[in-house]
Amino acid sequence: MARRPILAANWKMQKTVGEALAFAGSFLPLVKDAAADVVLAPPATALHALGQAIQGSNVALAAQNVSPEPKGAFTGELSTEMLADVGCSYAIVGHSERRTLFGETSAFVAAKAEALLAQNILPIVCCGESLEQREANQTFSYVGGQIRESLARIDKARAAEIVVAYEPIWAIGTGKTATPEMAQEVHAMIRGVLGELFGADGEAIRIQYGGSVKPANVAELMSQTDIDGALVGGASLEPESFSQIVNFGG
Ligand code: 13P
């Protein structure tokens, strides 16, 4: 099945409002003809201004996190309604940094993904194994389990709209990319789990690869059958390099 590619920038805890706007000014002209969905996930403080700056363009806005709660006494949290209010059409959930540094479980991620879809914000649901798990041959069981649990509350009628991101932890920010074959092997396993969960709609779900994606390696990764896009950290911080990634390299 032909799936539209989706390239997303995860800026993590980087860029002030001014820096985000400067990025947009340079970046938008470079990707205006992209044959892919293009997404920017700035820190929460820049969501509103960046959302305004990209309005009417072919670039979409994403949050890096969200609360599953609709409102109330949750100091420091943001609701799905607040994200919709500033123009988010996507939100990343279950990034490995949230799971390992902030103790987020797959059950919590599942609640976030459910709340997002109910608000018509598309979740980008992350998964990925540690080096220890890979070396212990636990990649398939661990990542498969993360997917089953994190997608447990997705409405089957909406499943085709979600995005999954496979990001092996050992490849994030390390310069070590999974080889295209290694990534494809896990993406194919994830595709199988999506088929078990959602039937034929599992074929429509886009699966991004993340972990040291760069202009030089994106085309080869994207050539794999089940790799439908990339979630990019470091190489998304400069307009030139992320635009090259959006335009599939070189
Ligand atoms: P890097 O591209 O810096 O390895 O980060 C990947 C990532 O975690 C994106 O969410």
Side-chain angles (χ1 to χ4, degrees):
M1 154 178 276
R3 289 175 291 265
R4 184 170 168 84
I6 177 166
L7 291 306
N10 176 9
W11 289 346
K12 308 189 180 185
M13 198 171 72
Q14 283 149 141
K15 292 195 190 295
T16 61
V17 172
E19 289 164 348
L21 293 177
F23 179 100
S26 309
F27 179 70
L28 292 183
L30 298 174
V31 299
K32 64 178 173 20
D33 299 320
D37 289 342
V38 186
V39 182
L40 299 177
T45 47
L47 282 171
H48 183 249
L50 188 64
Q52 303 266 303
I54 65 180
Q55 217 168 32
S57 78
N58 61 331
V59 176
L61 188 69
Q64 297 176 14
N65 188 23
V66 68
S67 169
E69 302 292 340
K71 63 169 62 166
F74 301 99
T75 301
E77 294 295 298
L78 299 174
S79 70
T80 60
E81 184 185 11
M82 292 167 182
L83 298 188
D85 188 38
V86 294
C88 289
S89 39
Y90 295 88
I92 299 167
V93 289
H95 191 280
S96 64
E97 288 149 20
R98 303 282 337 155
R99 292 176 185 265
T100 59
L101 301 173
F102 301 97
E104 292 194 8
T105 62
S106 289
F108 193 41
V109 174
K112 293 175 184 225
E114 178 186 34
L116 285 166
L117 262 189
Q119 188 70 55
N120 290 319
I121 297 174
L122 305 183
I124 298 175
V125 181
C126 302
C127 60
E129 81 288 359
S130 66
L131 185 59
E132 294 69 32
Q133 288 163 330
R134 176 158 284 268
E135 288 177 345
N137 285 323
Q138 292 166 351
T139 299
F140 278 24
S141 60
Y142 182 73
V143 174
Q146 280 186 315
I147 289 294
R148 284 175 203 282
E149 290 174 41
S150 302
L151 303 184
R153 293 167 67 163
I154 295 294
D155 177 356
K156 287 196 170 45
R158 306 283 309 272
E161 299 172 58
I162 70 169
V163 178
V164 168
Y166 167 60
E167 301 201 298
I169 295 172
W170 47 270
I172 295 177
T174 57
K176 283 191 215 164
T177 324
T179 63
E181 294 73 23
M182 282 164 84
Q184 166 57 26
E185 182 181 61
V186 183
H187 281 232
M189 180 279 293
I190 294 171
R191 179 82 56 210
V193 174
L194 296 175
E196 286 173 38
L197 295 174
F198 305 119
D201 286 345
E203 280 294 312
I205 297 175
R206 290 163 311 164
I207 310 175
Q208 298 176 310
Y209 169 79
S212 300
V213 175
K214 304 181 269 284
N217 61 23
V218 65
E220 205 185 353
L221 287 160
M222 295 286 296
S223 72
Q224 301 293 313
T225 312
D226 291 294
I227 301 184
D228 309 310
L231 183 56
V232 187
S236 76
L237 294 170
E238 296 300 330
E240 291 72 23
S241 64
F242 189 51
S243 67
Q244 286 170 21
I245 289 171
V246 165
N247 297 319
F248 291 35

PDB file of all heavy atoms in Angstrom, residues 8-12 92 95-97 126 165 167-169 171-176 209-214 230-237, ligand 1:
ATOM      1  N   ALA A   8       9.060  14.320  10.565  1.00  0.00           N
ATOM      2  CA  ALA A   8       8.756  15.184  11.712  1.00  0.00           C
ATOM      3  C   ALA A   8      10.032  15.576  12.444  1.00  0.00           C
ATOM      4  O   ALA A   8      10.934  14.757  12.637  1.00  0.00           O
ATOM      5  CB  ALA A   8       7.792  14.473  12.662  1.00  0.00           C
ATOM      6  N   ALA A   9      10.083  16.851  12.840  1.00  0.00           N
ATOM      7  CA  ALA A   9      11.197  17.389  13.624  1.00  0.00           C
ATOM      8  C   ALA A   9      10.805  17.391  15.092  1.00  0.00           C
ATOM      9  O   ALA A   9       9.776  17.969  15.447  1.00  0.00           O
ATOM     10  CB  ALA A   9      11.503  18.814  13.174  1.00  0.00           C
ATOM     11  N   ASN A  10      11.599  16.759  15.926  1.00  0.00           N
ATOM     12  CA  ASN A  10      11.401  16.831  17.371  1.00  0.00           C
ATOM     13  C   ASN A  10      12.536  17.668  17.940  1.00  0.00           C
ATOM     14  O   ASN A  10      13.660  17.189  18.056  1.00  0.00           O
ATOM     15  CB  ASN A  10      11.409  15.409  17.965  1.00  0.00           C
ATOM     16  CG  ASN A  10      11.302  15.430  19.478  1.00  0.00           C
ATOM     17  OD1 ASN A  10      11.057  16.485  20.076  1.00  0.00           O
ATOM     18  ND2 ASN A  10      11.499  14.284  20.111  1.00  0.00           N
ATOM     19  N   TRP A  11      12.221  18.902  18.265  1.00  0.00           N
ATOM     20  CA  TRP A  11      13.270  19.811  18.754  1.00  0.00           C
ATOM     21  C   TRP A  11      13.598  19.580  20.224  1.00  0.00           C
ATOM     22  O   TRP A  11      14.503  20.212  20.764  1.00  0.00           O
ATOM     23  CB  TRP A  11      12.848  21.269  18.519  1.00  0.00           C
ATOM     24  CG  TRP A  11      12.861  21.658  17.075  1.00  0.00           C
ATOM     25  CD1 TRP A  11      13.448  20.975  16.032  1.00  0.00           C
ATOM     26  CD2 TRP A  11      12.276  22.839  16.492  1.00  0.00           C
ATOM     27  NE1 TRP A  11      13.254  21.652  14.867  1.00  0.00           N
ATOM     28  CE2 TRP A  11      12.540  22.797  15.109  1.00  0.00           C
ATOM     29  CE3 TRP A  11      11.555  23.907  17.010  1.00  0.00           C
ATOM     30  CZ2 TRP A  11      12.118  23.804  14.226  1.00  0.00           C
ATOM     31  CZ3 TRP A  11      11.127  24.908  16.146  1.00  0.00           C
ATOM     32  CH2 TRP A  11      11.412  24.852  14.761  1.00  0.00           C
ATOM     33  N   LYS A  12      12.846  18.757  20.907  1.00  0.00           N
ATOM     34  CA  LYS A  12      13.090  18.472  22.326  1.00  0.00           C
ATOM     35  C   LYS A  12      13.166  19.801  23.098  1.00  0.00           C
ATOM     36  O   LYS A  12      12.385  20.704  22.815  1.00  0.00           O
ATOM     37  CB  LYS A  12      14.335  17.599  22.472  1.00  0.00           C
ATOM     38  CG  LYS A  12      14.249  16.354  21.555  1.00  0.00           C
ATOM     39  CD  LYS A  12      15.314  15.340  21.784  1.00  0.00           C
ATOM     40  CE  LYS A  12      15.116  14.160  20.828  1.00  0.00           C
ATOM     41  NZ  LYS A  12      16.042  13.068  21.045  1.00  0.00           N
ATOM     42  N   ILE A  92       3.466  14.143  19.789  1.00  0.00           N
ATOM     43  CA  ILE A  92       4.318  12.988  20.074  1.00  0.00           C
ATOM     44  C   ILE A  92       3.939  12.463  21.459  1.00  0.00           C
ATOM     45  O   ILE A  92       3.781  13.255  22.397  1.00  0.00           O
ATOM     46  CB  ILE A  92       5.804  13.415  20.078  1.00  0.00           C
ATOM     47  CG1 ILE A  92       6.211  13.961  18.702  1.00  0.00           C
ATOM     48  CG2 ILE A  92       6.711  12.261  20.500  1.00  0.00           C
ATOM     49  CD1 ILE A  92       7.566  14.690  18.709  1.00  0.00           C
ATOM     50  N   HIS A  95       7.607   9.193  23.931  1.00  0.00           N
ATOM     51  CA  HIS A  95       9.016   9.239  23.518  1.00  0.00           C
ATOM     52  C   HIS A  95       9.859   8.535  24.581  1.00  0.00           C
ATOM     53  O   HIS A  95       9.547   8.602  25.774  1.00  0.00           O
ATOM     54  CB  HIS A  95       9.459  10.703  23.345  1.00  0.00           C
ATOM     55  CG  HIS A  95      10.794  10.811  22.682  1.00  0.00           C
ATOM     56  ND1 HIS A  95      11.972  10.625  23.353  1.00  0.00           N
ATOM     57  CD2 HIS A  95      11.123  11.040  21.387  1.00  0.00           C
ATOM     58  CE1 HIS A  95      12.981  10.746  22.495  1.00  0.00           C
ATOM     59  NE2 HIS A  95      12.490  10.998  21.294  1.00  0.00           N
ATOM     60  N   SER A  96      10.947   7.906  24.170  1.00  0.00           N
ATOM     61  CA  SER A  96      11.757   7.152  25.142  1.00  0.00           C
ATOM     62  C   SER A  96      12.282   8.057  26.246  1.00  0.00           C
ATOM     63  O   SER A  96      12.489   7.602  27.375  1.00  0.00           O
ATOM     64  CB  SER A  96      12.909   6.429  24.444  1.00  0.00           C
ATOM     65  OG  SER A  96      13.787   7.355  23.871  1.00  0.00           O
ATOM     66  N   GLU A  97      12.496   9.344  25.930  1.00  0.00           N
ATOM     67  CA  GLU A  97      12.961  10.250  26.989  1.00  0.00           C
ATOM     68  C   GLU A  97      11.873  10.470  28.036  1.00  0.00           C
ATOM     69  O   GLU A  97      12.161  10.612  29.222  1.00  0.00           O
ATOM     70  CB  GLU A  97      13.440  11.567  26.353  1.00  0.00           C
ATOM     71  CG  GLU A  97      14.769  11.346  25.619  1.00  0.00           C
ATOM     72  CD  GLU A  97      14.991  12.234  24.417  1.00  0.00           C
ATOM     73  OE1 GLU A  97      14.344  13.294  24.301  1.00  0.00           O
ATOM     74  OE2 GLU A  97      15.833  11.852  23.572  1.00  0.00           O
ATOM     75  N   CYS A 126       5.483   6.605  20.163  1.00  0.00           N
ATOM     76  CA  CYS A 126       6.867   6.128  20.061  1.00  0.00           C
ATOM     77  C   CYS A 126       7.086   4.813  20.802  1.00  0.00           C
ATOM     78  O   CYS A 126       6.446   4.541  21.828  1.00  0.00           O
ATOM     79  CB  CYS A 126       7.814   7.157  20.651  1.00  0.00           C
ATOM     80  SG  CYS A 126       7.715   8.771  19.877  1.00  0.00           S
ATOM     81  N   ALA A 165       6.200   5.673  15.772  1.00  0.00           N
ATOM     82  CA  ALA A 165       7.622   5.966  15.548  1.00  0.00           C
ATOM     83  C   ALA A 165       8.460   4.918  16.269  1.00  0.00           C
ATOM     84  O   ALA A 165       8.345   4.774  17.492  1.00  0.00           O
ATOM     85  CB  ALA A 165       7.963   7.356  16.045  1.00  0.00           C
ATOM     86  N   GLU A 167      11.956   4.107  17.531  1.00  0.00           N
ATOM     87  CA  GLU A 167      13.212   4.786  17.821  1.00  0.00           C
ATOM     88  C   GLU A 167      14.035   3.933  18.786  1.00  0.00           C
ATOM     89  O   GLU A 167      13.828   4.002  20.006  1.00  0.00           O
ATOM     90  CB  GLU A 167      12.948   6.148  18.468  1.00  0.00           C
ATOM     91  CG  GLU A 167      12.118   7.095  17.623  1.00  0.00           C
ATOM     92  CD  GLU A 167      12.315   8.543  18.047  1.00  0.00           C
ATOM     93  OE1 GLU A 167      12.002   8.883  19.196  1.00  0.00           O
ATOM     94  OE2 GLU A 167      12.813   9.316  17.221  1.00  0.00           O
ATOM     95  N   PRO A 168      14.957   3.118  18.250  1.00  0.00           N
ATOM     96  CA  PRO A 168      15.812   2.349  19.153  1.00  0.00           C
ATOM     97  C   PRO A 168      16.617   3.306  20.030  1.00  0.00           C
ATOM     98  O   PRO A 168      17.251   4.235  19.519  1.00  0.00           O
ATOM     99  CB  PRO A 168      16.715   1.550  18.212  1.00  0.00           C
ATOM    100  CG  PRO A 168      16.572   2.158  16.854  1.00  0.00           C
ATOM    101  CD  PRO A 168      15.292   2.915  16.836  1.00  0.00           C
ATOM    102  N   ILE A 169      16.562   3.114  21.337  1.00  0.00           N
ATOM    103  CA  ILE A 169      17.159   4.081  22.267  1.00  0.00           C
ATOM    104  C   ILE A 169      18.661   4.243  22.016  1.00  0.00           C
ATOM    105  O   ILE A 169      19.192   5.344  22.088  1.00  0.00           O
ATOM    106  CB  ILE A 169      16.876   3.651  23.727  1.00  0.00           C
ATOM    107  CG1 ILE A 169      15.363   3.708  23.987  1.00  0.00           C
ATOM    108  CG2 ILE A 169      17.622   4.536  24.723  1.00  0.00           C
ATOM    109  CD1 ILE A 169      14.937   3.112  25.331  1.00  0.00           C
ATOM    110  N   ALA A 171      20.169   4.352  19.366  1.00  0.00           N
ATOM    111  CA  ALA A 171      20.460   5.124  18.140  1.00  0.00           C
ATOM    112  C   ALA A 171      20.111   6.595  18.302  1.00  0.00           C
ATOM    113  O   ALA A 171      20.387   7.395  17.412  1.00  0.00           O
ATOM    114  CB  ALA A 171      19.686   4.538  16.964  1.00  0.00           C
ATOM    115  N   ILE A 172      19.517   6.974  19.433  1.00  0.00           N
ATOM    116  CA  ILE A 172      19.061   8.359  19.611  1.00  0.00           C
ATOM    117  C   ILE A 172      20.214   9.230  20.080  1.00  0.00           C
ATOM    118  O   ILE A 172      20.784   8.993  21.152  1.00  0.00           O
ATOM    119  CB  ILE A 172      17.890   8.440  20.621  1.00  0.00           C
ATOM    120  CG1 ILE A 172      16.663   7.705  20.067  1.00  0.00           C
ATOM    121  CG2 ILE A 172      17.555   9.892  20.926  1.00  0.00           C
ATOM    122  CD1 ILE A 172      15.473   7.677  21.025  1.00  0.00           C
ATOM    123  N   GLY A 173      20.561  10.210  19.259  1.00  0.00           N
ATOM    124  CA  GLY A 173      21.573  11.193  19.642  1.00  0.00           C
ATOM    125  C   GLY A 173      22.975  10.623  19.754  1.00  0.00           C
ATOM    126  O   GLY A 173      23.869  11.275  20.285  1.00  0.00           O
ATOM    127  N   THR A 174      23.173   9.419  19.242  1.00  0.00           N
ATOM    128  CA  THR A 174      24.465   8.757  19.392  1.00  0.00           C
ATOM    129  C   THR A 174      25.263   8.751  18.103  1.00  0.00           C
ATOM    130  O   THR A 174      26.441   8.392  18.105  1.00  0.00           O
ATOM    131  CB  THR A 174      24.263   7.288  19.804  1.00  0.00           C
ATOM    132  OG1 THR A 174      23.442   6.657  18.804  1.00  0.00           O
ATOM    133  CG2 THR A 174      23.592   7.176  21.155  1.00  0.00           C
ATOM    134  N   GLY A 175      24.603   9.098  16.984  1.00  0.00           N
ATOM    135  CA  GLY A 175      25.263   8.974  15.693  1.00  0.00           C
ATOM    136  C   GLY A 175      25.220   7.544  15.165  1.00  0.00           C
ATOM    137  O   GLY A 175      25.611   7.273  14.040  1.00  0.00           O
ATOM    138  N   LYS A 176      24.757   6.598  15.991  1.00  0.00           N
ATOM    139  CA  LYS A 176      24.642   5.195  15.546  1.00  0.00           C
ATOM    140  C   LYS A 176      23.241   4.973  14.994  1.00  0.00           C
ATOM    141  O   LYS A 176      22.276   4.963  15.746  1.00  0.00           O
ATOM    142  CB  LYS A 176      24.768   4.247  16.747  1.00  0.00           C
ATOM    143  CG  LYS A 176      26.136   4.031  17.253  1.00  0.00           C
ATOM    144  CD  LYS A 176      26.072   2.873  18.241  1.00  0.00           C
ATOM    145  CE  LYS A 176      27.057   3.100  19.363  1.00  0.00           C
ATOM    146  NZ  LYS A 176      26.789   2.250  20.505  1.00  0.00           N
ATOM    147  N   TYR A 209      10.861   5.907  11.344  1.00  0.00           N
ATOM    148  CA  TYR A 209      12.074   5.496  12.034  1.00  0.00           C
ATOM    149  C   TYR A 209      12.701   6.739  12.666  1.00  0.00           C
ATOM    150  O   TYR A 209      12.676   7.820  12.062  1.00  0.00           O
ATOM    151  CB  TYR A 209      13.085   4.840  11.065  1.00  0.00           C
ATOM    152  CG  TYR A 209      14.416   4.672  11.740  1.00  0.00           C
ATOM    153  CD1 TYR A 209      14.627   3.621  12.629  1.00  0.00           C
ATOM    154  CD2 TYR A 209      15.424   5.620  11.577  1.00  0.00           C
ATOM    155  CE1 TYR A 209      15.829   3.513  13.319  1.00  0.00           C
ATOM    156  CE2 TYR A 209      16.620   5.517  12.263  1.00  0.00           C
ATOM    157  CZ  TYR A 209      16.818   4.463  13.132  1.00  0.00           C
ATOM    158  OH  TYR A 209      17.985   4.365  13.830  1.00  0.00           O
ATOM    159  N   GLY A 210      13.251   6.598  13.855  1.00  0.00           N
ATOM    160  CA  GLY A 210      13.977   7.700  14.486  1.00  0.00           C
ATOM    161  C   GLY A 210      15.240   7.199  15.147  1.00  0.00           C
ATOM    162  O   GLY A 210      15.288   6.075  15.666  1.00  0.00           O
ATOM    163  N   GLY A 211      16.266   8.043  15.147  1.00  0.00           N
ATOM    164  CA  GLY A 211      17.547   7.678  15.749  1.00  0.00           C
ATOM    165  C   GLY A 211      18.669   8.018  14.796  1.00  0.00           C
ATOM    166  O   GLY A 211      18.957   7.251  13.875  1.00  0.00           O
ATOM    167  N   SER A 212      19.255   9.228  14.975  1.00  0.00           N
ATOM    168  CA  SER A 212      20.384   9.675  14.145  1.00  0.00           C
ATOM    169  C   SER A 212      20.074   9.684  12.652  1.00  0.00           C
ATOM    170  O   SER A 212      20.935   9.355  11.835  1.00  0.00           O
ATOM    171  CB  SER A 212      21.636   8.838  14.461  1.00  0.00           C
ATOM    172  OG  SER A 212      21.982   8.981  15.822  1.00  0.00           O
ATOM    173  N   VAL A 213      18.835  10.058  12.312  1.00  0.00           N
ATOM    174  CA  VAL A 213      18.502  10.248  10.888  1.00  0.00           C
ATOM    175  C   VAL A 213      19.155  11.544  10.412  1.00  0.00           C
ATOM    176  O   VAL A 213      19.118  12.568  11.105  1.00  0.00           O
ATOM    177  CB  VAL A 213      16.970  10.317  10.666  1.00  0.00           C
ATOM    178  CG1 VAL A 213      16.653  10.649   9.209  1.00  0.00           C
ATOM    179  CG2 VAL A 213      16.329   8.996  11.063  1.00  0.00           C
ATOM    180  N   LYS A 214      19.775  11.473   9.235  1.00  0.00           N
ATOM    181  CA  LYS A 214      20.502  12.612   8.660  1.00  0.00           C
ATOM    182  C   LYS A 214      20.207  12.679   7.165  1.00  0.00           C
ATOM    183  O   LYS A 214      19.703  11.701   6.589  1.00  0.00           O
ATOM    184  CB  LYS A 214      22.026  12.401   8.819  1.00  0.00           C
ATOM    185  CG  LYS A 214      22.495  12.172  10.230  1.00  0.00           C
ATOM    186  CD  LYS A 214      24.010  12.001  10.298  1.00  0.00           C
ATOM    187  CE  LYS A 214      24.450  10.563  10.165  1.00  0.00           C
ATOM    188  NZ  LYS A 214      24.260   9.730  11.334  1.00  0.00           N
ATOM    189  N   ALA A 230      10.350   9.672   9.049  1.00  0.00           N
ATOM    190  CA  ALA A 230      11.384   9.777  10.076  1.00  0.00           C
ATOM    191  C   ALA A 230      10.961  10.769  11.144  1.00  0.00           C
ATOM    192  O   ALA A 230      10.247  11.742  10.864  1.00  0.00           O
ATOM    193  CB  ALA A 230      12.698  10.220   9.441  1.00  0.00           C
ATOM    194  N   LEU A 231      11.403  10.490  12.365  1.00  0.00           N
ATOM    195  CA  LEU A 231      11.258  11.416  13.491  1.00  0.00           C
ATOM    196  C   LEU A 231      12.686  11.823  13.836  1.00  0.00           C
ATOM    197  O   LEU A 231      13.501  10.977  14.204  1.00  0.00           O
ATOM    198  CB  LEU A 231      10.553  10.720  14.658  1.00  0.00           C
ATOM    199  CG  LEU A 231      10.249  11.559  15.903  1.00  0.00           C
ATOM    200  CD1 LEU A 231       9.431  12.807  15.569  1.00  0.00           C
ATOM    201  CD2 LEU A 231       9.492  10.716  16.938  1.00  0.00           C
ATOM    202  N   VAL A 232      12.970  13.107  13.682  1.00  0.00           N
ATOM    203  CA  VAL A 232      14.356  13.562  13.642  1.00  0.00           C
ATOM    204  C   VAL A 232      14.641  14.540  14.777  1.00  0.00           C
ATOM    205  O   VAL A 232      13.901  15.512  14.954  1.00  0.00           O
ATOM    206  CB  VAL A 232      14.646  14.257  12.291  1.00  0.00           C
ATOM    207  CG1 VAL A 232      16.140  14.579  12.173  1.00  0.00           C
ATOM    208  CG2 VAL A 232      14.168  13.403  11.125  1.00  0.00           C
ATOM    209  N   GLY A 233      15.704  14.270  15.529  1.00  0.00           N
ATOM    210  CA  GLY A 233      16.107  15.176  16.598  1.00  0.00           C
ATOM    211  C   GLY A 233      17.182  16.139  16.099  1.00  0.00           C
ATOM    212  O   GLY A 233      16.894  17.156  15.478  1.00  0.00           O
ATOM    213  N   GLY A 234      18.436  15.800  16.357  1.00  0.00           N
ATOM    214  CA  GLY A 234      19.566  16.704  16.094  1.00  0.00           C
ATOM    215  C   GLY A 234      19.569  17.320  14.701  1.00  0.00           C
ATOM    216  O   GLY A 234      19.772  18.533  14.550  1.00  0.00           O
ATOM    217  N   ALA A 235      19.346  16.504  13.683  1.00  0.00           N
ATOM    218  CA  ALA A 235      19.440  16.997  12.304  1.00  0.00           C
ATOM    219  C   ALA A 235      18.208  17.799  11.883  1.00  0.00           C
ATOM    220  O   ALA A 235      18.118  18.245  10.736  1.00  0.00           O
ATOM    221  CB  ALA A 235      19.677  15.834  11.341  1.00  0.00           C
ATOM    222  N   SER A 236      17.262  17.989  12.804  1.00  0.00           N
ATOM    223  CA  SER A 236      16.090  18.815  12.473  1.00  0.00           C
ATOM    224  C   SER A 236      16.245  20.246  12.988  1.00  0.00           C
ATOM    225  O   SER A 236      15.357  21.076  12.806  1.00  0.00           O
ATOM    226  CB  SER A 236      14.818  18.207  13.077  1.00  0.00           C
ATOM    227  OG  SER A 236      14.748  18.443  14.479  1.00  0.00           O
ATOM    228  N   LEU A 237      17.359  20.531  13.639  1.00  0.00           N
ATOM    229  CA  LEU A 237      17.503  21.843  14.283  1.00  0.00           C
ATOM    230  C   LEU A 237      17.926  22.935  13.312  1.00  0.00           C
ATOM    231  O   LEU A 237      17.772  24.118  13.607  1.00  0.00           O
ATOM    232  CB  LEU A 237      18.499  21.744  15.453  1.00  0.00           C
ATOM    233  CG  LEU A 237      18.029  20.875  16.626  1.00  0.00           C
ATOM    234  CD1 LEU A 237      19.171  20.648  17.618  1.00  0.00           C
ATOM    235  CD2 LEU A 237      16.833  21.500  17.326  1.00  0.00           C
TER     236      LEU A 237
HETATM  237  P1  13P B   1      18.284  12.147  17.037  1.00  0.00           P
HETATM  238  O1  13P B   1      17.816  12.356  15.616  1.00  0.00           O
HETATM  239  O2  13P B   1      19.009  13.346  17.617  1.00  0.00           O
HETATM  240  O3  13P B   1      19.038  10.861  17.203  1.00  0.00           O
HETATM  241  O4  13P B   1      16.955  12.031  17.934  1.00  0.00           O
HETATM  242  C1  13P B   1      15.963  11.132  17.561  1.00  0.00           C
HETATM  243  C2  13P B   1      14.768  11.374  18.394  1.00  0.00           C
HETATM  244  O5  13P B   1      14.746  11.067  19.572  1.00  0.00           O
HETATM  245  C3  13P B   1      13.603  12.007  17.751  1.00  0.00           C
HETATM  246  O6  13P B   1      12.476  11.904  18.547  1.00  0.00           O
END
